[in-house]
Amino acid sequence: MERRTPSVAIPPEQRPFNEYQQLRSSYFFRWATVEPRVYLGTILAVWAVAWIVSGPVAAWSFPPGRMPWQFLVGGAGGAAIILGLVLLRLYLGWSYVHTRLLSASVHYEETGWYDGSFWTKPAEDLAKDRLVVEYQVSPVMRRLRRTLAALALFYAIEALLCWLM
């Protein structure tokens, strides 16, 4: 692939700052940026809705009348797996934009996947993008990493409970 100069017109929707703005305004990705109380409420809501899938599976495996604790642990674990997938998708989306904002040179597609090139950012754009990373994207990434770590701790506790039962 050839290296292009900053004068090459990169499609506006592929400029890293514009990708960041699209991500930030998207309904799904936006909820990682809301205030902590709303963020936690959304996480709990996703986990509760995931019970719609995991609850019947857990009930099939562990009849609630005879094995209530196993049913609760199994259902909670299944719902947590679904929540983990949702959080992983959030993390990957924000990570992609994070990487593109930090890079001095970004790949873009001119008309399709078969004719991509690289665009070297002008110094002003690079400085602006790195400020956006520092003050807007990095806090979201830290929040998502902490949430995924808490979910991993939840999985460990679930595994311990399953082992003890």
Side-chain angles (χ1 to χ4, degrees):
M1 290 193 202
E2 67 184 70
R3 187 159 302 279
R4 300 286 178 127
T5 61
S7 62
V8 172
I10 180 173
E13 68 276 1
Q14 293 184 43
R15 287 183 179 261
F17 185 75
N18 293 343
E19 290 175 326
Y20 159 72
Q21 288 181 321
Q22 284 178 324
L23 190 78
R24 188 183 65 184
S25 64
S26 136
Y27 177 77
F28 177 71
F29 290 99
R30 181 181 60 223
W31 70 264
T33 65
V34 296
E35 66 182 55
R37 185 175 172 176
V38 175
Y39 176 71
L40 183 59
T42 306
I43 287 174
L44 292 174
V46 168
W47 183 73
V49 168
W51 266 89
I52 294 171
V53 173
S54 67
V57 172
W60 182 263
S61 303
F62 308 106
R66 288 186 317 164
M67 307 169 95
W69 290 109
Q70 289 88 344
F71 165 72
L72 287 174
V73 169
I81 289 172
I82 295 170
L83 174 62
L85 292 173
V86 169
L87 289 170
L88 183 62
R89 178 63 188 110
L90 274 172
Y91 182 80
L92 291 174
W94 281 99
S95 178
Y96 173 77
V97 166
H98 180 265
T99 302
R100 287 187 51 91
L101 285 168
L102 279 180
S103 297
S105 177
V106 293
H107 183 265
Y108 72 97
E109 298 168 357
E110 293 179 32
T111 58
W113 61 269
Y114 48 84
D115 64 349
S117 296
F118 283 89
W119 173 63
T120 303
K121 295 179 190 176
E124 311 83 49
D125 286 355
L126 183 60
K128 179 179 75 171
D129 289 354
R130 290 189 173 168
L131 282 171
V132 167
V133 165
E134 181 69 27
Y135 294 103
Q136 300 294 321
V137 179
S138 288
V140 172
M141 296 289 293
R142 273 192 301 276
R143 172 187 271 184
L144 289 170
R145 275 193 294 271
R146 277 191 234 124
T147 306
L148 287 167
L151 193 59
L153 179 63
F154 180 78
Y155 289 145
I157 292 168
E158 284 272 320
L160 180 63
L161 288 172
C162 286
W163 183 71
L164 291 174
M165 290 184 187

mmCIF file of all heavy atoms in Angstrom, residues 33-57:
data_model
loop_
_atom_site.group_PDB
_atom_site.id
_atom_site.type_symbol
_atom_site.label_atom_id
_atom_site.label_comp_id
_atom_site.label_asym_id
_atom_site.label_seq_id
_atom_site.Cartn_x
_atom_site.Cartn_y
_atom_site.Cartn_z
ATOM 1 N N THR A 33 -20.827 6.372 28.404
ATOM 2 C CA THR A 33 -20.338 7.700 28.763
ATOM 3 C C THR A 33 -21.237 8.432 29.761
ATOM 4 O O THR A 33 -20.897 9.529 30.181
ATOM 5 C CB THR A 33 -20.224 8.582 27.497
ATOM 6 O OG1 THR A 33 -21.534 8.799 26.964
ATOM 7 C CG2 THR A 33 -19.346 7.950 26.451
ATOM 8 N N VAL A 34 -22.352 7.839 30.126
ATOM 9 C CA VAL A 34 -23.301 8.527 31.003
ATOM 10 C C VAL A 34 -22.790 8.552 32.440
ATOM 11 O O VAL A 34 -21.807 7.895 32.774
ATOM 12 C CB VAL A 34 -24.703 7.878 30.934
ATOM 13 C CG1 VAL A 34 -25.286 8.015 29.535
ATOM 14 C CG2 VAL A 34 -24.662 6.428 31.369
ATOM 15 N N GLU A 35 -23.499 9.273 33.298
ATOM 16 C CA GLU A 35 -23.094 9.377 34.696
ATOM 17 C C GLU A 35 -23.101 7.992 35.358
ATOM 18 O O GLU A 35 -23.829 7.093 34.924
ATOM 19 C CB GLU A 35 -23.978 10.356 35.449
ATOM 20 C CG GLU A 35 -25.409 9.903 35.576
ATOM 21 C CD GLU A 35 -26.275 10.921 36.279
ATOM 22 O OE1 GLU A 35 -26.312 12.074 35.824
ATOM 23 O OE2 GLU A 35 -26.907 10.545 37.283
ATOM 24 N N PRO A 36 -22.299 7.798 36.389
ATOM 25 C CA PRO A 36 -22.132 6.464 36.987
ATOM 26 C C PRO A 36 -23.423 5.776 37.411
ATOM 27 O O PRO A 36 -23.580 4.567 37.214
ATOM 28 C CB PRO A 36 -21.231 6.730 38.192
ATOM 29 C CG PRO A 36 -20.459 7.947 37.825
ATOM 30 C CD PRO A 36 -21.398 8.779 36.994
ATOM 31 N N ARG A 37 -24.356 6.512 37.978
ATOM 32 C CA ARG A 37 -25.610 5.899 38.449
ATOM 33 C C ARG A 37 -26.411 5.331 37.280
ATOM 34 O O ARG A 37 -26.951 4.224 37.348
ATOM 35 C CB ARG A 37 -26.408 6.930 39.219
ATOM 36 C CG ARG A 37 -27.637 6.395 39.849
ATOM 37 C CD ARG A 37 -28.291 7.456 40.688
ATOM 38 N NE ARG A 37 -29.585 6.968 41.136
ATOM 39 C CZ ARG A 37 -30.351 7.612 41.940
ATOM 40 N NH1 ARG A 37 -29.987 8.792 42.405
ATOM 41 N NH2 ARG A 37 -31.511 7.111 42.294
ATOM 42 N N VAL A 38 -26.515 6.078 36.195
ATOM 43 C CA VAL A 38 -27.236 5.630 35.010
ATOM 44 C C VAL A 38 -26.491 4.457 34.365
ATOM 45 O O VAL A 38 -27.098 3.491 33.909
ATOM 46 C CB VAL A 38 -27.419 6.789 34.005
ATOM 47 C CG1 VAL A 38 -28.052 6.326 32.708
ATOM 48 C CG2 VAL A 38 -28.236 7.908 34.634
ATOM 49 N N TYR A 39 -25.165 4.531 34.337
ATOM 50 C CA TYR A 39 -24.344 3.455 33.771
ATOM 51 C C TYR A 39 -24.581 2.148 34.523
ATOM 52 O O TYR A 39 -24.832 1.107 33.907
ATOM 53 C CB TYR A 39 -22.871 3.870 33.845
ATOM 54 C CG TYR A 39 -21.888 2.828 33.381
ATOM 55 C CD1 TYR A 39 -21.779 2.507 32.035
ATOM 56 C CD2 TYR A 39 -21.055 2.185 34.277
ATOM 57 C CE1 TYR A 39 -20.863 1.558 31.598
ATOM 58 C CE2 TYR A 39 -20.139 1.234 33.856
ATOM 59 C CZ TYR A 39 -20.050 0.932 32.513
ATOM 60 O OH TYR A 39 -19.143 -0.011 32.088
ATOM 61 N N LEU A 40 -24.533 2.208 35.839
ATOM 62 C CA LEU A 40 -24.767 1.012 36.648
ATOM 63 C C LEU A 40 -26.189 0.493 36.456
ATOM 64 O O LEU A 40 -26.412 -0.718 36.341
ATOM 65 C CB LEU A 40 -24.492 1.301 38.127
ATOM 66 C CG LEU A 40 -24.629 0.126 39.077
ATOM 67 C CD1 LEU A 40 -23.685 -1.002 38.691
ATOM 68 C CD2 LEU A 40 -24.374 0.578 40.499
ATOM 69 N N GLY A 41 -27.153 1.396 36.385
ATOM 70 C CA GLY A 41 -28.538 0.995 36.152
ATOM 71 C C GLY A 41 -28.711 0.301 34.809
ATOM 72 O O GLY A 41 -29.450 -0.690 34.694
ATOM 73 N N THR A 42 -28.016 0.782 33.801
ATOM 74 C CA THR A 42 -28.094 0.158 32.487
ATOM 75 C C THR A 42 -27.469 -1.228 32.501
ATOM 76 O O THR A 42 -28.005 -2.173 31.907
ATOM 77 C CB THR A 42 -27.412 1.045 31.430
ATOM 78 O OG1 THR A 42 -27.971 2.355 31.487
ATOM 79 C CG2 THR A 42 -27.585 0.480 30.044
ATOM 80 N N ILE A 43 -26.349 -1.358 33.192
ATOM 81 C CA ILE A 43 -25.700 -2.668 33.303
ATOM 82 C C ILE A 43 -26.631 -3.656 33.999
ATOM 83 O O ILE A 43 -26.797 -4.798 33.549
ATOM 84 C CB ILE A 43 -24.357 -2.545 34.047
ATOM 85 C CG1 ILE A 43 -23.340 -1.885 33.129
ATOM 86 C CG2 ILE A 43 -23.855 -3.909 34.516
ATOM 87 C CD1 ILE A 43 -22.034 -1.577 33.786
ATOM 88 N N LEU A 44 -27.239 -3.217 35.084
ATOM 89 C CA LEU A 44 -28.173 -4.098 35.795
ATOM 90 C C LEU A 44 -29.393 -4.428 34.938
ATOM 91 O O LEU A 44 -29.900 -5.558 34.985
ATOM 92 C CB LEU A 44 -28.586 -3.469 37.121
ATOM 93 C CG LEU A 44 -27.472 -3.370 38.166
ATOM 94 C CD1 LEU A 44 -27.948 -2.609 39.395
ATOM 95 C CD2 LEU A 44 -26.955 -4.747 38.544
ATOM 96 N N ALA A 45 -29.860 -3.483 34.135
ATOM 97 C CA ALA A 45 -31.003 -3.733 33.259
ATOM 98 C C ALA A 45 -30.647 -4.764 32.179
ATOM 99 O O ALA A 45 -31.444 -5.663 31.885
ATOM 100 C CB ALA A 45 -31.471 -2.432 32.614
ATOM 101 N N VAL A 46 -29.458 -4.651 31.601
ATOM 102 C CA VAL A 46 -29.026 -5.626 30.597
ATOM 103 C C VAL A 46 -28.928 -7.006 31.235
ATOM 104 O O VAL A 46 -29.366 -8.011 30.667
ATOM 105 C CB VAL A 46 -27.675 -5.215 29.957
ATOM 106 C CG1 VAL A 46 -27.080 -6.342 29.140
ATOM 107 C CG2 VAL A 46 -27.854 -3.972 29.106
ATOM 108 N N TRP A 47 -28.373 -7.073 32.447
ATOM 109 C CA TRP A 47 -28.245 -8.348 33.159
ATOM 110 C C TRP A 47 -29.631 -8.941 33.458
ATOM 111 O O TRP A 47 -29.846 -10.126 33.279
ATOM 112 C CB TRP A 47 -27.441 -8.145 34.439
ATOM 113 C CG TRP A 47 -27.193 -9.400 35.208
ATOM 114 C CD1 TRP A 47 -26.333 -10.402 34.890
ATOM 115 C CD2 TRP A 47 -27.802 -9.769 36.446
ATOM 116 N NE1 TRP A 47 -26.375 -11.375 35.860
ATOM 117 C CE2 TRP A 47 -27.268 -11.009 36.820
ATOM 118 C CE3 TRP A 47 -28.754 -9.176 37.267
ATOM 119 C CZ2 TRP A 47 -27.648 -11.668 37.985
ATOM 120 C CZ3 TRP A 47 -29.134 -9.829 38.425
ATOM 121 C CH2 TRP A 47 -28.577 -11.053 38.774
ATOM 122 N N ALA A 48 -30.563 -8.093 33.874
ATOM 123 C CA ALA A 48 -31.920 -8.569 34.174
ATOM 124 C C ALA A 48 -32.621 -9.070 32.911
ATOM 125 O O ALA A 48 -33.290 -10.102 32.935
ATOM 126 C CB ALA A 48 -32.728 -7.449 34.828
ATOM 127 N N VAL A 49 -32.468 -8.354 31.807
ATOM 128 C CA VAL A 49 -33.081 -8.778 30.554
ATOM 129 C C VAL A 49 -32.439 -10.081 30.060
ATOM 130 O O VAL A 49 -33.110 -10.936 29.481
ATOM 131 C CB VAL A 49 -32.986 -7.656 29.491
ATOM 132 C CG1 VAL A 49 -33.349 -8.151 28.109
ATOM 133 C CG2 VAL A 49 -33.864 -6.478 29.886
ATOM 134 N N ALA A 50 -31.155 -10.254 30.332
ATOM 135 C CA ALA A 50 -30.463 -11.487 29.929
ATOM 136 C C ALA A 50 -31.026 -12.708 30.649
ATOM 137 O O ALA A 50 -30.884 -13.838 30.177
ATOM 138 C CB ALA A 50 -28.967 -11.356 30.179
ATOM 139 N N TRP A 51 -31.693 -12.485 31.777
ATOM 140 C CA TRP A 51 -32.346 -13.584 32.490
ATOM 141 C C TRP A 51 -33.455 -14.209 31.644
ATOM 142 O O TRP A 51 -33.832 -15.365 31.870
ATOM 143 C CB TRP A 51 -32.915 -13.094 33.820
ATOM 144 C CG TRP A 51 -31.975 -13.303 34.959
ATOM 145 C CD1 TRP A 51 -31.016 -12.438 35.394
ATOM 146 C CD2 TRP A 51 -31.898 -14.447 35.810
ATOM 147 N NE1 TRP A 51 -30.353 -12.970 36.462
ATOM 148 C CE2 TRP A 51 -30.877 -14.216 36.746
ATOM 149 C CE3 TRP A 51 -32.598 -15.641 35.873
ATOM 150 C CZ2 TRP A 51 -30.533 -15.119 37.722
ATOM 151 C CZ3 TRP A 51 -32.257 -16.567 36.853
ATOM 152 C CH2 TRP A 51 -31.239 -16.300 37.761
ATOM 153 N N ILE A 52 -33.994 -13.474 30.689
ATOM 154 C CA ILE A 52 -35.033 -14.015 29.805
ATOM 155 C C ILE A 52 -34.502 -15.232 29.052
ATOM 156 O O ILE A 52 -35.235 -16.185 28.800
ATOM 157 C CB ILE A 52 -35.542 -12.922 28.828
ATOM 158 C CG1 ILE A 52 -36.270 -11.830 29.603
ATOM 159 C CG2 ILE A 52 -36.419 -13.518 27.737
ATOM 160 C CD1 ILE A 52 -36.618 -10.610 28.777
ATOM 161 N N VAL A 53 -33.226 -15.203 28.723
ATOM 162 C CA VAL A 53 -32.598 -16.335 28.043
ATOM 163 C C VAL A 53 -32.028 -17.321 29.056
ATOM 164 O O VAL A 53 -32.247 -18.531 28.959
ATOM 165 C CB VAL A 53 -31.486 -15.848 27.089
ATOM 166 C CG1 VAL A 53 -30.716 -17.009 26.500
ATOM 167 C CG2 VAL A 53 -32.079 -14.981 25.995
ATOM 168 N N SER A 54 -31.302 -16.816 30.024
ATOM 169 C CA SER A 54 -30.588 -17.716 30.938
ATOM 170 C C SER A 54 -31.502 -18.372 31.971
ATOM 171 O O SER A 54 -31.223 -19.490 32.423
ATOM 172 C CB SER A 54 -29.453 -16.969 31.648
ATOM 173 O OG SER A 54 -29.961 -15.997 32.522
ATOM 174 N N GLY A 55 -32.569 -17.719 32.348
ATOM 175 C CA GLY A 55 -33.489 -18.286 33.339
ATOM 176 C C GLY A 55 -34.101 -19.613 32.902
ATOM 177 O O GLY A 55 -34.015 -20.605 33.636
ATOM 178 N N PRO A 56 -34.719 -19.680 31.714
ATOM 179 C CA PRO A 56 -35.274 -20.968 31.270
ATOM 180 C C PRO A 56 -34.215 -22.064 31.101
ATOM 181 O O PRO A 56 -34.474 -23.222 31.399
ATOM 182 C CB PRO A 56 -35.932 -20.629 29.927
ATOM 183 C CG PRO A 56 -36.258 -19.179 30.028
ATOM 184 C CD PRO A 56 -35.154 -18.582 30.847
ATOM 185 N N VAL A 57 -33.027 -21.680 30.644
ATOM 186 C CA VAL A 57 -31.957 -22.678 30.504
ATOM 187 C C VAL A 57 -31.561 -23.205 31.881
ATOM 188 O O VAL A 57 -31.398 -24.412 32.077
ATOM 189 C CB VAL A 57 -30.733 -22.081 29.768
ATOM 190 C CG1 VAL A 57 -29.551 -23.040 29.786
ATOM 191 C CG2 VAL A 57 -31.100 -21.706 28.340
#
